Amino acid sequence: MKKQIYERPLIHRINTGMMNKFGTKTEYAPVSHIDGLAVKDLIKEYGSPLFVLSEDTIRNTYREAVRAFKTRYPKIQFAWSYKTNYINAVCNIFHQEGSWAEVVSGFEYQKAINNGVPGPKIIFNGPDKSDDDLRRAITNNSPIHIDHLDELYRLTELAEEMNKRPNVAIRVNMDTGIYPMWDRFGFNYENGQAWDAINKIILGNRLELIGVHCHIGTFMLSPQAYATAAYKLSDLALGIKKKFGKTIHYIDMGGGFASKNTLKGSFLPGADTTPTIDQFAESITTALLNAGFTEKDLPLLVLETGRALIDEAGYLLGSVIANKRLSDGRRATIMDFGVNILFTSFWYDHKISPAQEFSSYTEDTVMYGPLCMNIDVVRSHITLPPLKKEDHVVVHTVGAYNMTQWMQFIAMRPAVVLIGTDGKSHLIRNKETIENIESSEVMPDFLKKHALASGILK
Amino acid sequence: MKLLKNIALSDTGFVFNPGTGDSFSVNPIGLSILKDLQEGKSEEAIRNRVIEDYQTDKETIEKDLYDFLKMIEQFNLTDYHE
Ligand SMILES: Cc1ncc(COP(=O)(O)O)c(C=O)c1O
């Protein structure tokens, strides 16, 4: 008789009448391929763990977002938020689609320049811009979004010194009914700070005010908050027109639309609760269209959407290192990736699928990363089939913020591969090497030698 | 190790303990092991039987069987009074 396929023996208690807090069946349906390529082949070729991005998904998500806004409002422009994922290949997909760049540091600014983005299409945000950064942005005619009064004064001095008239916008913060309120960036709307900055810019007559900007928060689940924000920015733009006869060219609504991830502690999966891009578009464009602009003065709507455009295009492939049983009887699975490269596991209960077929038996498991640290928990509860050493898993919706906020801690960072619309895999970031890391270290002469003897402990 | 005498096993992998009212589910290989225990087979005999029936090796089943038996103990399905 032919022997049966082996699967670890499992037993679990049935809690009748209780809602299963460990998730739904779809969570552990196997995902063996991504865009037609087998997970096991990708891992064989590029190693494990491995980040994978889908070009198809990126382009489709972007086009869907453009459609949602374009069908409702005549003038729109996306600017790719570099911090969300600034691997150059990713940025260039967005630039090919027509997106500008949105950057928040000199480093990101240089990346956008290196990617060939023209100066006037690089929006320069953030509280930390050095004099050199500002000079370069002034020379390139980039829109500079002023965050605080110190920056406004310094920029005015530099404009005089360079005999230029920089294009600027102000970042505005405001109460949109969302708690916590992001009031540490920009000038407040309610207490008059925003008007104070506007008066200083226009009456100072050294800077050209072309826009107003806000970014009301990240992973926002409320389209209504955007309607409030769009209304308040419109009010400023209309007030400027009335008071100074000056037309504001654009209203920049920042980013923040939630992706389909599930926030830790929420009861329902994110895929069921996240508003659609159409709902956000409807709120924002309705507020702008009803604000009272004449057709000629209708501002360009700029969007700096980050996570909602890239999260779903990203996957992390990984492998099981070991299984163990914790002292309280729970099963634990140790993976070859942890919070070092999957930073977003601090925020989300990521959906994780096995990459191979299983029977329908499952087990409640704690999923740990490989770091020797207690904080290294990828999922504190997850229902999975019995995974064994070297089995593969697919972590979903990891395209945003992981490939920028990952840490080189204990282990080196993995390769990143793009599955192209051509159906082939393309390496877009090499696996880190010890040479990469040590090339920036310097050893002082007096530390070059030591006298530890070799030999075996006795 | 022995299974409690009154534990009911169904062929669909449903396990019921009438003493406590607890119910459990097991996968097919788990069910076959519970049946072995009911028949009074030793751990070694179970191990050999599994190696006969399944595509596995001694190290794997040793490790997994140890873990499975610990779980059964923790769920109070074993008889301590022998
Ligand atoms: C100014 C600004 N714009 C855009 C974004 C992108 O936000 P998100 O990824 O939530 O869409 C951020 C992120 O914090 C930001 O600070």
Side-chain angles (χ1 to χ4, degrees), chain A residues 1-14 16 325 327-329 331 359 361 363 386, chain B residues 14 22-29 33 51-56 60-61 64 67-68 71 74-75 77:
Chain A
M1 197 186 80
K2 198 171 169 296
K3 290 193 182 193
Q4 301 174 55
I5 303 226
Y6 178 77
E7 174 179 84
R8 178 148 53 78
L10 293 180
I11 179 163
H12 65 82
R13 191 196 301 271
I14 302 169
T16 42
R325 182 72 65 186
S327 61
D328 61 3
R331 176 144 279 271
S359 71
Y361 293 90
E363 215 178 5
Chain B
F14 187 72
D22 288 338
S23 43
F24 305 87
S25 92
V26 287
N27 60 353
I29 181 169
I33 293 170
I51 294 171
E52 278 289 293
D53 290 354
Y54 290 89
Q55 301 170 13
T56 186
T60 307
I61 183 60
D64 291 348
D67 182 59
F68 184 68
M71 288 309 287
Q74 212 165 56
F75 288 145
L77 293 173

Side-chain angles (χ1 to χ4, degrees), chain A residues 97-115:
Chain A
E97 291 287 334
S99 194
W100 296 357
E102 183 269 328
V103 303
V104 291
S105 67
F107 160 74
E108 288 188 353
Y109 190 95
Q110 188 59 48
K111 276 196 133 231
I113 292 284
N114 292 355
N115 283 333

